[in-house]
């Protein structure tokens, strides 16, 4: 069975066939799914999906590009959601300097990243971190707040293998998805080669990031076997081993998942 650690099934791209698609997951070998909130609105829709499906769990949090929706009131609401039995992580949170180049906006991103990291510490939940074009600031901020005390994953990992080793030293997992199958995914392939399989989590980030041979189409969790196959080839182990070990990794990190 495959543990899908990062999906957005509340996305409008699934409006036409969401239930039909989700009903195919368990028969198709996808045993658990974490649906990840990225704004206050999508945290609500994430919780709705997790309520309606036994095998789907919720991560609650606000993505750096959506921090406009955060204030003390909505942050308090977010905190309330953490006590629900199926809320298993805070995410996705982090820094994204690819879309936001303004210093003032980046400062706001750091502020809410920190606040949500502290929320994770306070509520004993792991974090799902999104970090794009912000490697140094992500690492510095994590060091500053002693992120080694807060377990988590760097999702859709896009930095160097050396940087991955630094995150792993802090106790973090590395989220690997469709990019590892891309022709231009050399850096991620090198990372996968270098880090222990015990530190890898499987994810889609669907509807985005569909792996080869389906690159460019709407992604969904039944594509993960293409990622598994690629990791197995790089590591020189069987696809079964990749599934089993990454399953155990996810169960360990997201300890509220049953
Ligand atoms: Zn995501």
């Amino acid at each position: 069975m495959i543990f899908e650690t990062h999906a957005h099934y509340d996305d409008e791209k699934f409006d036409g066939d969401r239930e039909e698609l989700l009903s195919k997951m368990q028969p198709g070998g996808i045993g658990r799914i974490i649906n990840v909130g990225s704004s206050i609105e999508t945290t609500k829709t994430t919780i709705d999906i997790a309520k309606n499906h036994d095998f789907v769990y919720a991560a609650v949090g606000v993505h750096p590009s959506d921090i406009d929706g955060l204030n003390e009131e909505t942050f308090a609401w977010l905190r309330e959601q953490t006590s629900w039995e199926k809320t298993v992580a805070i995410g996705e949170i982090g820094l994204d300097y690819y879309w936001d180049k303004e210093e003032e906006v980046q400062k706001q991103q750091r502020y809410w990243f920190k606040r949500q990291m502290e929320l994770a510490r306070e509520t004993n939940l792991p974090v799902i971190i999104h970090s794009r074009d912000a490697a140094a600031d992500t690492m510095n901020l994590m060091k500053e707040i002693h992120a080694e005390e807060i377990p988590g994953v760097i999702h859709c990992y896009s930095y160097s293998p050396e940087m991955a080793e630094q995150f792993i030293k802090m106790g973090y997992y590395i989220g690997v998805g469709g990019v590892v199958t891309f022709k231009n995914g050399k850096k991620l392939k090198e990372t996968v080669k270098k880090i222990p399989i015990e530190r890898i989590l499987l994810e889609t980030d669907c509807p985005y990031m569909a792996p080869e041979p389906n690159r460019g189409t709407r992604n969904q969790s039944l594509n993960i076997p293409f990622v598994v196959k690629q990791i197995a080839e790089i590591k020189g182990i069987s696809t079964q081993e990749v599934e089993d070990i990454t399953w155990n990794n996810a169960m360990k990190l997201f300890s509220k998942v049953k």
Side-chain angles (χ1 to χ4, degrees):
M1 289 288 246
I2 286 169
F3 195 129
E4 148 78 291
T5 62
H6 197 115
H8 299 283
Y9 282 109
D10 55 311
D11 191 282
E12 61 182 14
K13 292 195 176 66
F14 295 111
D15 282 354
D17 61 347
R18 179 174 298 109
E19 293 309 314
E20 193 197 337
L21 193 57
L22 285 171
S23 74
K24 288 179 188 159
M25 291 298 153
Q26 287 183 297
I30 309 297
R32 298 284 184 279
I33 294 175
I34 297 178
N35 206 80
V36 182
S38 59
S39 62
I40 293 296
E41 206 40 56
T42 59
T43 293
K44 285 179 190 162
T45 47
T46 287
I47 289 170
D48 285 341
I49 290 183
K51 269 186 185 152
N52 293 327
H53 300 275
D54 279 356
F55 71 108
V56 180
Y57 289 79
V60 305
V62 176
H63 183 287
S65 302
D66 278 296
I67 49 168
D68 278 358
L70 273 175
N71 52 52
E72 289 311 318
E73 198 185 320
T74 52
F75 189 72
W77 177 83
L78 205 59
R79 173 182 278 117
E80 282 168 26
Q81 310 316 309
T82 60
S83 57
W84 184 41
E85 57 177 350
K86 292 191 80 183
T87 297
V88 299
I90 304 286
E92 54 188 297
I93 62 174
L95 302 177
D96 192 323
Y97 294 173
Y98 180 81
W99 294 109
D100 290 309
K101 309 276 185 212
E102 273 175 61
E103 177 51 36
E104 189 49 38
V105 179
Q106 295 183 353
K107 202 172 134 193
Q108 282 296 313
Q109 285 192 9
R110 291 193 291 275
Y111 174 78
W112 286 112
F113 180 27
K114 228 187 218 173
R115 288 285 303 270
Q116 293 182 93
M117 288 293 282
E118 294 302 343
L119 179 61
R121 190 203 306 275
E122 192 188 302
T123 56
N124 266 319
L125 285 171
V127 289
I128 297 171
I129 294 179
H130 168 103
S131 178
R132 189 171 185 200
D133 278 5
D137 276 12
T138 301
M139 184 53 85
N140 291 339
L141 190 143
M142 285 173 74
K143 279 184 179 154
E144 184 192 316
I145 61 166
H146 290 282
E148 73 277 4
E149 299 163 1
I150 306 164
V153 56
I154 311 295
H155 118 84
C156 197
Y157 186 76
S158 60
Y159 300 135
S160 68
E162 293 73 29
M163 191 89 184
E165 287 179 320
Q166 280 194 61
F167 284 119
I168 288 170
K169 252 188 215 151
M170 295 177 93
Y172 276 71
Y173 290 84
I174 301 296
V176 177
V179 177
V180 79
T181 68
F182 294 176
K183 254 195 183 132
N184 56 354
K186 219 176 143 196
K187 209 164 62 170
L188 184 59
K189 286 188 176 89
E190 277 168 29
T191 299
V192 166
K193 194 171 180 183
K194 208 158 181 186
I195 66 176
I197 182 83
E198 287 75 18
R199 283 287 149 187
I200 293 176
L201 297 182
L202 299 174
E203 63 167 61
T204 55
D205 205 15
C206 68
Y208 308 104
M209 298 291 180
E212 293 289 1
N214 296 329
R215 188 174 183 179
T217 66
R218 183 187 71 170
N219 199 7
Q220 46 112 332
S221 313
L222 294 171
N223 278 327
I224 293 180
F226 296 116
V227 174
V228 168
K229 190 167 170 267
Q230 185 68 66
I231 295 173
E233 273 168 26
I234 295 170
K235 289 297 205 188
I237 58 178
S238 69
T239 54
Q240 190 61 52
E241 281 174 291
V242 173
E243 285 191 24
D244 293 347
I245 297 168
T246 55
W247 175 279
N248 290 336
N249 297 345
M251 291 298 276
K252 215 166 165 185
L253 177 61
F254 302 109
S255 59
K256 276 171 84 179
V257 172
K258 290 190 179 116

PDB file of all heavy atoms in Angstrom, residues 6-23:
ATOM      1  N   HIS A   6       0.582  14.128   0.341  1.00  0.00           N
ATOM      2  CA  HIS A   6       0.302  15.531  -0.019  1.00  0.00           C
ATOM      3  C   HIS A   6      -0.607  15.641  -1.247  1.00  0.00           C
ATOM      4  O   HIS A   6      -0.152  15.520  -2.380  1.00  0.00           O
ATOM      5  CB  HIS A   6       1.622  16.270  -0.284  1.00  0.00           C
ATOM      6  CG  HIS A   6       1.492  17.765  -0.272  1.00  0.00           C
ATOM      7  ND1 HIS A   6       2.106  18.566   0.668  1.00  0.00           N
ATOM      8  CD2 HIS A   6       0.807  18.604  -1.083  1.00  0.00           C
ATOM      9  CE1 HIS A   6       1.818  19.833   0.428  1.00  0.00           C
ATOM     10  NE2 HIS A   6       1.026  19.884  -0.636  1.00  0.00           N
ATOM     11  N   ALA A   7      -1.893  15.855  -1.008  1.00  0.00           N
ATOM     12  CA  ALA A   7      -2.851  15.984  -2.111  1.00  0.00           C
ATOM     13  C   ALA A   7      -3.787  17.160  -1.853  1.00  0.00           C
ATOM     14  O   ALA A   7      -3.977  17.585  -0.704  1.00  0.00           O
ATOM     15  CB  ALA A   7      -3.662  14.704  -2.246  1.00  0.00           C
ATOM     16  N   HIS A   8      -4.360  17.670  -2.945  1.00  0.00           N
ATOM     17  CA  HIS A   8      -5.343  18.762  -2.842  1.00  0.00           C
ATOM     18  C   HIS A   8      -6.616  18.360  -3.579  1.00  0.00           C
ATOM     19  O   HIS A   8      -6.954  18.925  -4.624  1.00  0.00           O
ATOM     20  CB  HIS A   8      -4.777  20.049  -3.450  1.00  0.00           C
ATOM     21  CG  HIS A   8      -3.530  20.554  -2.791  1.00  0.00           C
ATOM     22  ND1 HIS A   8      -3.539  21.214  -1.580  1.00  0.00           N
ATOM     23  CD2 HIS A   8      -2.226  20.484  -3.155  1.00  0.00           C
ATOM     24  CE1 HIS A   8      -2.302  21.540  -1.236  1.00  0.00           C
ATOM     25  NE2 HIS A   8      -1.477  21.097  -2.170  1.00  0.00           N
ATOM     26  N   TYR A   9      -7.316  17.367  -3.057  1.00  0.00           N
ATOM     27  CA  TYR A   9      -8.531  16.889  -3.735  1.00  0.00           C
ATOM     28  C   TYR A   9      -9.703  17.860  -3.619  1.00  0.00           C
ATOM     29  O   TYR A   9     -10.727  17.668  -4.262  1.00  0.00           O
ATOM     30  CB  TYR A   9      -8.924  15.493  -3.236  1.00  0.00           C
ATOM     31  CG  TYR A   9      -8.060  14.428  -3.879  1.00  0.00           C
ATOM     32  CD1 TYR A   9      -7.109  13.738  -3.147  1.00  0.00           C
ATOM     33  CD2 TYR A   9      -8.168  14.164  -5.243  1.00  0.00           C
ATOM     34  CE1 TYR A   9      -6.284  12.795  -3.750  1.00  0.00           C
ATOM     35  CE2 TYR A   9      -7.352  13.244  -5.858  1.00  0.00           C
ATOM     36  CZ  TYR A   9      -6.420  12.555  -5.102  1.00  0.00           C
ATOM     37  OH  TYR A   9      -5.612  11.631  -5.718  1.00  0.00           O
ATOM     38  N   ASP A  10      -9.541  18.898  -2.788  1.00  0.00           N
ATOM     39  CA  ASP A  10     -10.588  19.910  -2.736  1.00  0.00           C
ATOM     40  C   ASP A  10     -10.458  20.895  -3.905  1.00  0.00           C
ATOM     41  O   ASP A  10     -11.343  21.714  -4.116  1.00  0.00           O
ATOM     42  CB  ASP A  10     -10.529  20.663  -1.398  1.00  0.00           C
ATOM     43  CG  ASP A  10      -9.140  21.251  -1.148  1.00  0.00           C
ATOM     44  OD1 ASP A  10      -8.136  20.510  -1.294  1.00  0.00           O
ATOM     45  OD2 ASP A  10      -9.050  22.445  -0.835  1.00  0.00           O
ATOM     46  N   ASP A  11      -9.382  20.814  -4.666  1.00  0.00           N
ATOM     47  CA  ASP A  11      -9.166  21.722  -5.801  1.00  0.00           C
ATOM     48  C   ASP A  11     -10.316  21.613  -6.817  1.00  0.00           C
ATOM     49  O   ASP A  11     -10.854  20.529  -7.045  1.00  0.00           O
ATOM     50  CB  ASP A  11      -7.835  21.384  -6.484  1.00  0.00           C
ATOM     51  CG  ASP A  11      -7.402  22.444  -7.493  1.00  0.00           C
ATOM     52  OD1 ASP A  11      -7.955  22.465  -8.612  1.00  0.00           O
ATOM     53  OD2 ASP A  11      -6.516  23.248  -7.138  1.00  0.00           O
ATOM     54  N   GLU A  12     -10.646  22.754  -7.423  1.00  0.00           N
ATOM     55  CA  GLU A  12     -11.779  22.777  -8.365  1.00  0.00           C
ATOM     56  C   GLU A  12     -11.553  21.855  -9.570  1.00  0.00           C
ATOM     57  O   GLU A  12     -12.513  21.440 -10.215  1.00  0.00           O
ATOM     58  CB  GLU A  12     -12.052  24.211  -8.834  1.00  0.00           C
ATOM     59  CG  GLU A  12     -10.869  24.844  -9.560  1.00  0.00           C
ATOM     60  CD  GLU A  12     -11.125  26.296  -9.974  1.00  0.00           C
ATOM     61  OE1 GLU A  12     -12.092  26.906  -9.486  1.00  0.00           O
ATOM     62  OE2 GLU A  12     -10.334  26.785 -10.800  1.00  0.00           O
ATOM     63  N   LYS A  13     -10.307  21.533  -9.848  1.00  0.00           N
ATOM     64  CA  LYS A  13     -10.038  20.630 -10.981  1.00  0.00           C
ATOM     65  C   LYS A  13     -10.621  19.237 -10.742  1.00  0.00           C
ATOM     66  O   LYS A  13     -10.716  18.423 -11.664  1.00  0.00           O
ATOM     67  CB  LYS A  13      -8.538  20.534 -11.245  1.00  0.00           C
ATOM     68  CG  LYS A  13      -7.951  21.838 -11.772  1.00  0.00           C
ATOM     69  CD  LYS A  13      -6.568  21.639 -12.357  1.00  0.00           C
ATOM     70  CE  LYS A  13      -6.004  22.915 -12.964  1.00  0.00           C
ATOM     71  NZ  LYS A  13      -5.718  23.998 -11.993  1.00  0.00           N
ATOM     72  N   PHE A  14     -10.996  18.940  -9.488  1.00  0.00           N
ATOM     73  CA  PHE A  14     -11.607  17.647  -9.186  1.00  0.00           C
ATOM     74  C   PHE A  14     -13.123  17.742  -9.022  1.00  0.00           C
ATOM     75  O   PHE A  14     -13.771  16.754  -8.651  1.00  0.00           O
ATOM     76  CB  PHE A  14     -10.987  17.051  -7.907  1.00  0.00           C
ATOM     77  CG  PHE A  14      -9.523  16.717  -8.056  1.00  0.00           C
ATOM     78  CD1 PHE A  14      -8.549  17.443  -7.379  1.00  0.00           C
ATOM     79  CD2 PHE A  14      -9.107  15.675  -8.885  1.00  0.00           C
ATOM     80  CE1 PHE A  14      -7.196  17.141  -7.522  1.00  0.00           C
ATOM     81  CE2 PHE A  14      -7.763  15.364  -9.034  1.00  0.00           C
ATOM     82  CZ  PHE A  14      -6.801  16.104  -8.355  1.00  0.00           C
ATOM     83  N   ASP A  15     -13.686  18.922  -9.272  1.00  0.00           N
ATOM     84  CA  ASP A  15     -15.125  19.110  -9.043  1.00  0.00           C
ATOM     85  C   ASP A  15     -15.987  18.128  -9.836  1.00  0.00           C
ATOM     86  O   ASP A  15     -17.015  17.679  -9.347  1.00  0.00           O
ATOM     87  CB  ASP A  15     -15.546  20.552  -9.387  1.00  0.00           C
ATOM     88  CG  ASP A  15     -15.168  21.530  -8.280  1.00  0.00           C
ATOM     89  OD1 ASP A  15     -14.688  21.066  -7.220  1.00  0.00           O
ATOM     90  OD2 ASP A  15     -15.337  22.748  -8.476  1.00  0.00           O
ATOM     91  N   GLY A  16     -15.558  17.781 -11.041  1.00  0.00           N
ATOM     92  CA  GLY A  16     -16.385  16.931 -11.893  1.00  0.00           C
ATOM     93  C   GLY A  16     -16.429  15.463 -11.487  1.00  0.00           C
ATOM     94  O   GLY A  16     -17.409  14.775 -11.782  1.00  0.00           O
ATOM     95  N   ASP A  17     -15.369  14.968 -10.819  1.00  0.00           N
ATOM     96  CA  ASP A  17     -15.319  13.521 -10.572  1.00  0.00           C
ATOM     97  C   ASP A  17     -14.647  13.143  -9.248  1.00  0.00           C
ATOM     98  O   ASP A  17     -14.117  12.049  -9.091  1.00  0.00           O
ATOM     99  CB  ASP A  17     -14.577  12.821 -11.728  1.00  0.00           C
ATOM    100  CG  ASP A  17     -13.141  13.311 -11.874  1.00  0.00           C
ATOM    101  OD1 ASP A  17     -12.799  14.344 -11.255  1.00  0.00           O
ATOM    102  OD2 ASP A  17     -12.357  12.667 -12.581  1.00  0.00           O
ATOM    103  N   ARG A  18     -14.687  14.068  -8.280  1.00  0.00           N
ATOM    104  CA  ARG A  18     -13.973  13.872  -7.015  1.00  0.00           C
ATOM    105  C   ARG A  18     -14.328  12.551  -6.324  1.00  0.00           C
ATOM    106  O   ARG A  18     -13.458  11.757  -5.976  1.00  0.00           O
ATOM    107  CB  ARG A  18     -14.259  15.048  -6.081  1.00  0.00           C
ATOM    108  CG  ARG A  18     -13.589  14.951  -4.710  1.00  0.00           C
ATOM    109  CD  ARG A  18     -13.812  16.214  -3.916  1.00  0.00           C
ATOM    110  NE  ARG A  18     -13.232  17.381  -4.571  1.00  0.00           N
ATOM    111  CZ  ARG A  18     -13.921  18.363  -5.163  1.00  0.00           C
ATOM    112  NH1 ARG A  18     -15.243  18.340  -5.142  1.00  0.00           N
ATOM    113  NH2 ARG A  18     -13.313  19.362  -5.762  1.00  0.00           N
ATOM    114  N   GLU A  19     -15.625  12.319  -6.130  1.00  0.00           N
ATOM    115  CA  GLU A  19     -16.043  11.131  -5.370  1.00  0.00           C
ATOM    116  C   GLU A  19     -15.711   9.842  -6.111  1.00  0.00           C
ATOM    117  O   GLU A  19     -15.269   8.866  -5.508  1.00  0.00           O
ATOM    118  CB  GLU A  19     -17.538  11.209  -5.042  1.00  0.00           C
ATOM    119  CG  GLU A  19     -17.893  12.326  -4.075  1.00  0.00           C
ATOM    120  CD  GLU A  19     -17.038  12.342  -2.803  1.00  0.00           C
ATOM    121  OE1 GLU A  19     -16.836  11.263  -2.198  1.00  0.00           O
ATOM    122  OE2 GLU A  19     -16.563  13.427  -2.417  1.00  0.00           O
ATOM    123  N   GLU A  20     -15.923   9.876  -7.417  1.00  0.00           N
ATOM    124  CA  GLU A  20     -15.619   8.702  -8.232  1.00  0.00           C
ATOM    125  C   GLU A  20     -14.124   8.362  -8.134  1.00  0.00           C
ATOM    126  O   GLU A  20     -13.731   7.210  -7.946  1.00  0.00           O
ATOM    127  CB  GLU A  20     -16.008   9.001  -9.687  1.00  0.00           C
ATOM    128  CG  GLU A  20     -16.031   7.782 -10.576  1.00  0.00           C
ATOM    129  CD  GLU A  20     -16.007   8.168 -12.050  1.00  0.00           C
ATOM    130  OE1 GLU A  20     -16.404   9.301 -12.394  1.00  0.00           O
ATOM    131  OE2 GLU A  20     -15.562   7.317 -12.848  1.00  0.00           O
ATOM    132  N   LEU A  21     -13.305   9.399  -8.232  1.00  0.00           N
ATOM    133  CA  LEU A  21     -11.850   9.223  -8.176  1.00  0.00           C
ATOM    134  C   LEU A  21     -11.422   8.695  -6.799  1.00  0.00           C
ATOM    135  O   LEU A  21     -10.652   7.730  -6.696  1.00  0.00           O
ATOM    136  CB  LEU A  21     -11.186  10.567  -8.484  1.00  0.00           C
ATOM    137  CG  LEU A  21      -9.696  10.578  -8.783  1.00  0.00           C
ATOM    138  CD1 LEU A  21      -9.378   9.659  -9.958  1.00  0.00           C
ATOM    139  CD2 LEU A  21      -9.246  12.010  -9.117  1.00  0.00           C
ATOM    140  N   LEU A  22     -11.935   9.309  -5.742  1.00  0.00           N
ATOM    141  CA  LEU A  22     -11.551   8.886  -4.391  1.00  0.00           C
ATOM    142  C   LEU A  22     -11.977   7.444  -4.107  1.00  0.00           C
ATOM    143  O   LEU A  22     -11.301   6.717  -3.383  1.00  0.00           O
ATOM    144  CB  LEU A  22     -12.129   9.849  -3.340  1.00  0.00           C
ATOM    145  CG  LEU A  22     -11.397  11.197  -3.241  1.00  0.00           C
ATOM    146  CD1 LEU A  22     -12.159  12.171  -2.345  1.00  0.00           C
ATOM    147  CD2 LEU A  22      -9.968  11.035  -2.730  1.00  0.00           C
ATOM    148  N   SER A  23     -13.081   7.021  -4.727  1.00  0.00           N
ATOM    149  CA  SER A  23     -13.542   5.639  -4.502  1.00  0.00           C
ATOM    150  C   SER A  23     -12.591   4.629  -5.149  1.00  0.00           C
ATOM    151  O   SER A  23     -12.609   3.445  -4.820  1.00  0.00           O
ATOM    152  CB  SER A  23     -14.964   5.463  -5.039  1.00  0.00           C
ATOM    153  OG  SER A  23     -14.941   5.416  -6.457  1.00  0.00           O
TER     154      SER A  23
END
